[in-house]
PDB file of all heavy atoms in Angstrom:
ATOM      1  N   ALA A   1       0.837  -1.220  -0.017  1.00 91.00           N
ATOM      2  CA  ALA A   1      -0.021   0.015   0.003  1.00 91.00           C
ATOM      3  C   ALA A   1       0.872   1.225   0.015  1.00 91.00           C
ATOM      4  O   ALA A   1       0.564   2.232  -0.660  1.00 91.00           O
ATOM      5  CB  ALA A   1      -0.946  -0.007   1.232  1.00 91.00           C
ATOM      6  N   TYR A   2       1.976   1.215   0.765  1.00 91.00           N
ATOM      7  CA  TYR A   2       2.860   2.367   0.821  1.00 91.00           C
ATOM      8  C   TYR A   2       3.438   2.575  -0.590  1.00 91.00           C
ATOM      9  O   TYR A   2       3.553   3.723  -1.024  1.00 91.00           O
ATOM     10  CB  TYR A   2       3.947   2.167   1.800  1.00 91.00           C
ATOM     11  CG  TYR A   2       4.901   3.368   1.851  1.00 91.00           C
ATOM     12  CD1 TYR A   2       4.654   4.464   2.648  1.00 91.00           C
ATOM     13  CD2 TYR A   2       6.045   3.348   1.042  1.00 91.00           C
ATOM     14  CE1 TYR A   2       5.539   5.553   2.663  1.00 91.00           C
ATOM     15  CE2 TYR A   2       6.932   4.437   1.043  1.00 91.00           C
ATOM     16  CZ  TYR A   2       6.655   5.533   1.822  1.00 91.00           C
ATOM     17  OH  TYR A   2       7.525   6.634   1.854  1.00 91.00           O
ATOM     18  N   ALA A   3       3.877   1.552  -1.255  1.00 88.00           N
ATOM     19  CA  ALA A   3       4.500   1.662  -2.630  1.00 88.00           C
ATOM     20  C   ALA A   3       3.549   2.226  -3.645  1.00 88.00           C
ATOM     21  O   ALA A   3       3.924   2.929  -4.525  1.00 88.00           O
ATOM     22  CB  ALA A   3       5.111   0.285  -2.971  1.00 88.00           C
ATOM     23  N   THR A   4       2.238   1.832  -3.483  1.00 88.00           N
ATOM     24  CA  THR A   4       1.285   2.252  -4.403  1.00 88.00           C
ATOM     25  C   THR A   4       0.896   3.722  -4.275  1.00 88.00           C
ATOM     26  O   THR A   4       0.910   4.442  -5.234  1.00 88.00           O
ATOM     27  CB  THR A   4      -0.009   1.407  -4.257  1.00 88.00           C
ATOM     28  OG1 THR A   4       0.246   0.035  -4.445  1.00 88.00           O
ATOM     29  CG2 THR A   4      -1.094   1.879  -5.210  1.00 88.00           C
ATOM     30  N   ARG A   5       0.783   4.134  -3.012  1.00 87.00           N
ATOM     31  CA  ARG A   5       0.497   5.552  -2.789  1.00 87.00           C
ATOM     32  C   ARG A   5       0.991   5.929  -1.381  1.00 87.00           C
ATOM     33  O   ARG A   5       0.290   5.685  -0.408  1.00 87.00           O
ATOM     34  CB  ARG A   5      -0.965   5.846  -2.862  1.00 87.00           C
ATOM     35  CG  ARG A   5      -1.300   7.316  -2.873  1.00 87.00           C
ATOM     36  CD  ARG A   5      -2.819   7.556  -3.052  1.00 87.00           C
ATOM     37  NE  ARG A   5      -3.078   8.984  -3.172  1.00 87.00           N
ATOM     38  CZ  ARG A   5      -4.278   9.569  -3.149  1.00 87.00           C
ATOM     39  NH1 ARG A   5      -5.348   8.731  -2.920  1.00 87.00           N
ATOM     40  NH2 ARG A   5      -4.431  10.839  -3.343  1.00 87.00           N
ATOM     41  N   PRO A   6       2.181   6.497  -1.289  1.00 89.00           N
ATOM     42  CA  PRO A   6       2.710   6.831   0.001  1.00 89.00           C
ATOM     43  C   PRO A   6       1.775   7.740   0.835  1.00 89.00           C
ATOM     44  O   PRO A   6       1.334   8.808   0.328  1.00 89.00           O
ATOM     45  CB  PRO A   6       4.032   7.574  -0.322  1.00 89.00           C
ATOM     46  CG  PRO A   6       4.424   7.081  -1.669  1.00 89.00           C
ATOM     47  CD  PRO A   6       3.100   6.844  -2.385  1.00 89.00           C
ATOM     48  N   PRO A   7       1.537   7.430   2.056  1.00 91.00           N
ATOM     49  CA  PRO A   7       0.658   8.247   2.922  1.00 91.00           C
ATOM     50  C   PRO A   7       1.409   9.395   3.558  1.00 91.00           C
ATOM     51  O   PRO A   7       2.693   9.459   3.477  1.00 91.00           O
ATOM     52  CB  PRO A   7       0.174   7.263   3.945  1.00 91.00           C
ATOM     53  CG  PRO A   7       1.313   6.321   4.116  1.00 91.00           C
ATOM     54  CD  PRO A   7       1.960   6.216   2.774  1.00 91.00           C
ATOM     55  N   ASP A   8       0.697  10.301   4.182  1.00 90.00           N
ATOM     56  CA  ASP A   8       1.285  11.387   4.942  1.00 90.00           C
ATOM     57  C   ASP A   8       1.626  10.930   6.387  1.00 90.00           C
ATOM     58  O   ASP A   8       2.459  11.544   7.048  1.00 90.00           O
ATOM     59  CB  ASP A   8       0.348  12.608   4.974  1.00 90.00           C
ATOM     60  CG  ASP A   8       0.040  13.143   3.603  1.00 90.00           C
ATOM     61  OD1 ASP A   8       1.048  13.418   2.903  1.00 90.00           O
ATOM     62  OD2 ASP A   8      -1.083  13.219   3.202  1.00 90.00           O
ATOM     63  N   LEU A   9       0.977   9.864   6.830  1.00 91.00           N
ATOM     64  CA  LEU A   9       1.223   9.389   8.170  1.00 91.00           C
ATOM     65  C   LEU A   9       0.823   7.954   8.219  1.00 91.00           C
ATOM     66  O   LEU A   9      -0.135   7.487   7.576  1.00 91.00           O
ATOM     67  CB  LEU A   9       0.377  10.182   9.213  1.00 91.00           C
ATOM     68  CG  LEU A   9       0.542   9.789  10.674  1.00 91.00           C
ATOM     69  CD1 LEU A   9       0.573  10.998  11.596  1.00 91.00           C
ATOM     70  CD2 LEU A   9      -0.548   8.836  11.104  1.00 91.00           C
ATOM     71  N   LEU A  10       1.572   7.120   9.058  1.00 93.00           N
ATOM     72  CA  LEU A  10       1.323   5.714   9.176  1.00 93.00           C
ATOM     73  C   LEU A  10       0.928   5.427  10.590  1.00 93.00           C
ATOM     74  O   LEU A  10       1.651   5.757  11.528  1.00 93.00           O
ATOM     75  CB  LEU A  10       2.634   4.943   8.851  1.00 93.00           C
ATOM     76  CG  LEU A  10       2.621   3.390   8.987  1.00 93.00           C
ATOM     77  CD1 LEU A  10       1.606   2.841   8.009  1.00 93.00           C
ATOM     78  CD2 LEU A  10       4.006   2.875   8.679  1.00 93.00           C
ATOM     79  N   VAL A  11      -0.281   4.788  10.818  1.00 95.00           N
ATOM     80  CA  VAL A  11      -0.753   4.267  12.065  1.00 95.00           C
ATOM     81  C   VAL A  11      -0.498   2.767  12.058  1.00 95.00           C
ATOM     82  O   VAL A  11      -1.134   2.043  11.251  1.00 95.00           O
ATOM     83  CB  VAL A  11      -2.208   4.610  12.273  1.00 95.00           C
ATOM     84  CG1 VAL A  11      -2.626   4.002  13.678  1.00 95.00           C
ATOM     85  CG2 VAL A  11      -2.450   6.104  12.252  1.00 95.00           C
ATOM     86  N   LEU A  12       0.395   2.304  12.888  1.00 92.00           N
ATOM     87  CA  LEU A  12       0.941   0.937  12.677  1.00 92.00           C
ATOM     88  C   LEU A  12       0.902   0.092  13.935  1.00 92.00           C
ATOM     89  O   LEU A  12       1.511   0.451  14.977  1.00 92.00           O
ATOM     90  CB  LEU A  12       2.430   1.040  12.219  1.00 92.00           C
ATOM     91  CG  LEU A  12       3.243  -0.231  11.947  1.00 92.00           C
ATOM     92  CD1 LEU A  12       2.579  -1.052  10.843  1.00 92.00           C
ATOM     93  CD2 LEU A  12       4.617   0.114  11.549  1.00 92.00           C
ATOM     94  N   ASP A  13       0.149  -0.993  13.897  1.00 91.00           N
ATOM     95  CA  ASP A  13       0.075  -1.946  14.996  1.00 91.00           C
ATOM     96  C   ASP A  13       1.406  -2.671  15.107  1.00 91.00           C
ATOM     97  O   ASP A  13       1.978  -3.050  14.065  1.00 91.00           O
ATOM     98  CB  ASP A  13      -1.121  -2.920  14.832  1.00 91.00           C
ATOM     99  CG  ASP A  13      -1.384  -3.745  16.053  1.00 91.00           C
ATOM    100  OD1 ASP A  13      -0.974  -3.332  17.194  1.00 91.00           O
ATOM    101  OD2 ASP A  13      -2.058  -4.783  15.928  1.00 91.00           O
ATOM    102  N   VAL A  14       1.884  -2.961  16.321  1.00 88.00           N
ATOM    103  CA  VAL A  14       3.133  -3.611  16.435  1.00 88.00           C
ATOM    104  C   VAL A  14       2.982  -5.172  16.140  1.00 88.00           C
ATOM    105  O   VAL A  14       3.782  -5.698  15.422  1.00 88.00           O
ATOM    106  CB  VAL A  14       3.731  -3.457  17.864  1.00 88.00           C
ATOM    107  CG1 VAL A  14       4.869  -4.393  18.136  1.00 88.00           C
ATOM    108  CG2 VAL A  14       4.111  -1.994  18.168  1.00 88.00           C
ATOM    109  N   MET A  15       1.907  -5.754  16.623  1.00 89.00           N
ATOM    110  CA  MET A  15       1.752  -7.218  16.500  1.00 89.00           C
ATOM    111  C   MET A  15       0.890  -7.468  15.214  1.00 89.00           C
ATOM    112  O   MET A  15      -0.312  -7.150  15.184  1.00 89.00           O
ATOM    113  CB  MET A  15       1.017  -7.789  17.714  1.00 89.00           C
ATOM    114  CG  MET A  15       1.777  -7.573  19.003  1.00 89.00           C
ATOM    115  SD  MET A  15       3.418  -8.303  19.008  1.00 89.00           S
ATOM    116  CE  MET A  15       2.938 -10.059  18.931  1.00 89.00           C
ATOM    117  N   LEU A  16       1.585  -8.022  14.179  1.00 91.00           N
ATOM    118  CA  LEU A  16       0.888  -8.300  12.917  1.00 91.00           C
ATOM    119  C   LEU A  16       1.130  -9.812  12.626  1.00 91.00           C
ATOM    120  O   LEU A  16       2.114 -10.350  13.070  1.00 91.00           O
ATOM    121  CB  LEU A  16       1.500  -7.411  11.834  1.00 91.00           C
ATOM    122  CG  LEU A  16       1.245  -5.931  12.001  1.00 91.00           C
ATOM    123  CD1 LEU A  16       1.999  -5.118  10.968  1.00 91.00           C
ATOM    124  CD2 LEU A  16      -0.278  -5.649  11.841  1.00 91.00           C
ATOM    125  N   PRO A  17       0.238 -10.396  11.809  1.00 90.00           N
ATOM    126  CA  PRO A  17       0.327 -11.823  11.579  1.00 90.00           C
ATOM    127  C   PRO A  17       1.536 -12.289  10.812  1.00 90.00           C
ATOM    128  O   PRO A  17       2.044 -13.375  11.014  1.00 90.00           O
ATOM    129  CB  PRO A  17      -0.977 -12.195  10.841  1.00 90.00           C
ATOM    130  CG  PRO A  17      -1.356 -10.891  10.187  1.00 90.00           C
ATOM    131  CD  PRO A  17      -0.890  -9.801  11.133  1.00 90.00           C
ATOM    132  N   ASP A  18       2.085 -11.469   9.875  1.00 91.00           N
ATOM    133  CA  ASP A  18       3.129 -11.955   9.009  1.00 91.00           C
ATOM    134  C   ASP A  18       4.473 -11.410   9.384  1.00 91.00           C
ATOM    135  O   ASP A  18       5.540 -12.055   9.245  1.00 91.00           O
ATOM    136  CB  ASP A  18       2.850 -11.640   7.546  1.00 91.00           C
ATOM    137  CG  ASP A  18       2.482 -10.166   7.347  1.00 91.00           C
ATOM    138  OD1 ASP A  18       2.303  -9.415   8.365  1.00 91.00           O
ATOM    139  OD2 ASP A  18       2.270  -9.742   6.200  1.00 91.00           O
ATOM    140  N   THR A  19       4.523 -10.212   9.882  1.00 86.00           N
ATOM    141  CA  THR A  19       5.764  -9.563  10.362  1.00 86.00           C
ATOM    142  C   THR A  19       5.384  -8.459  11.341  1.00 86.00           C
ATOM    143  O   THR A  19       4.303  -7.909  11.298  1.00 86.00           O
ATOM    144  CB  THR A  19       6.562  -8.968   9.192  1.00 86.00           C
ATOM    145  OG1 THR A  19       7.815  -8.439   9.651  1.00 86.00           O
ATOM    146  CG2 THR A  19       5.789  -7.843   8.523  1.00 86.00           C
ATOM    147  N   ASP A  20       6.250  -8.134  12.277  1.00 86.00           N
ATOM    148  CA  ASP A  20       5.855  -7.155  13.241  1.00 86.00           C
ATOM    149  C   ASP A  20       6.015  -5.736  12.707  1.00 86.00           C
ATOM    150  O   ASP A  20       6.722  -5.506  11.727  1.00 86.00           O
ATOM    151  CB  ASP A  20       6.668  -7.326  14.569  1.00 86.00           C
ATOM    152  CG  ASP A  20       8.197  -7.114  14.357  1.00 86.00           C
ATOM    153  OD1 ASP A  20       8.584  -5.983  14.118  1.00 86.00           O
ATOM    154  OD2 ASP A  20       8.947  -8.099  14.403  1.00 86.00           O
ATOM    155  N   GLY A  21       5.351  -4.815  13.449  1.00 87.00           N
ATOM    156  CA  GLY A  21       5.340  -3.423  12.994  1.00 87.00           C
ATOM    157  C   GLY A  21       6.736  -2.855  13.016  1.00 87.00           C
ATOM    158  O   GLY A  21       7.089  -1.904  12.175  1.00 87.00           O
ATOM    159  N   PHE A  22       7.600  -3.249  13.948  1.00 85.00           N
ATOM    160  CA  PHE A  22       8.935  -2.776  14.028  1.00 85.00           C
ATOM    161  C   PHE A  22       9.676  -3.010  12.678  1.00 85.00           C
ATOM    162  O   PHE A  22      10.382  -2.144  12.143  1.00 85.00           O
ATOM    163  CB  PHE A  22       9.731  -3.362  15.137  1.00 85.00           C
ATOM    164  CG  PHE A  22       9.244  -3.031  16.495  1.00 85.00           C
ATOM    165  CD1 PHE A  22       9.353  -3.975  17.577  1.00 85.00           C
ATOM    166  CD2 PHE A  22       8.589  -1.828  16.782  1.00 85.00           C
ATOM    167  CE1 PHE A  22       8.930  -3.612  18.868  1.00 85.00           C
ATOM    168  CE2 PHE A  22       8.149  -1.475  18.027  1.00 85.00           C
ATOM    169  CZ  PHE A  22       8.300  -2.388  19.078  1.00 85.00           C
ATOM    170  N   THR A  23       9.525  -4.211  12.144  1.00 88.00           N
ATOM    171  CA  THR A  23      10.172  -4.594  10.913  1.00 88.00           C
ATOM    172  C   THR A  23       9.658  -3.785   9.719  1.00 88.00           C
ATOM    173  O   THR A  23      10.397  -3.348   8.879  1.00 88.00           O
ATOM    174  CB  THR A  23      10.026  -6.110  10.636  1.00 88.00           C
ATOM    175  OG1 THR A  23      10.557  -6.846  11.750  1.00 88.00           O
ATOM    176  CG2 THR A  23      10.728  -6.509   9.373  1.00 88.00           C
ATOM    177  N   VAL A  24       8.340  -3.599   9.722  1.00 90.00           N
ATOM    178  CA  VAL A  24       7.755  -2.827   8.651  1.00 90.00           C
ATOM    179  C   VAL A  24       8.278  -1.347   8.700  1.00 90.00           C
ATOM    180  O   VAL A  24       8.661  -0.820   7.656  1.00 90.00           O
ATOM    181  CB  VAL A  24       6.199  -2.731   8.772  1.00 90.00           C
ATOM    182  CG1 VAL A  24       5.549  -1.742   7.823  1.00 90.00           C
ATOM    183  CG2 VAL A  24       5.592  -4.104   8.645  1.00 90.00           C
ATOM    184  N   CYS A  25       8.360  -0.809   9.848  1.00 86.00           N
ATOM    185  CA  CYS A  25       8.867   0.550   9.954  1.00 86.00           C
ATOM    186  C   CYS A  25      10.363   0.633   9.544  1.00 86.00           C
ATOM    187  O   CYS A  25      10.750   1.541   8.812  1.00 86.00           O
ATOM    188  CB  CYS A  25       8.719   0.996  11.453  1.00 86.00           C
ATOM    189  SG  CYS A  25       9.129   2.735  11.738  1.00 86.00           S
TER     190      CYS A  25
END
């Protein structure tokens, strides 16, 4: 989603099913 259209702000949960939010960040 970020690659398709970068947002102005990211609201990111830490615990995700495939990878944690820290890694995404």
Side-chain angles (χ1 to χ4, degrees):
Y2 179 87
T4 301
R5 191 180 188 190
D8 298 305
L9 181 142
L10 178 62
V11 180
L12 180 60
D13 191 19
V14 171
M15 301 300 294
L16 296 171
D18 51 354
T19 185
D20 62 71
F22 294 150
T23 301
V24 173
C25 188

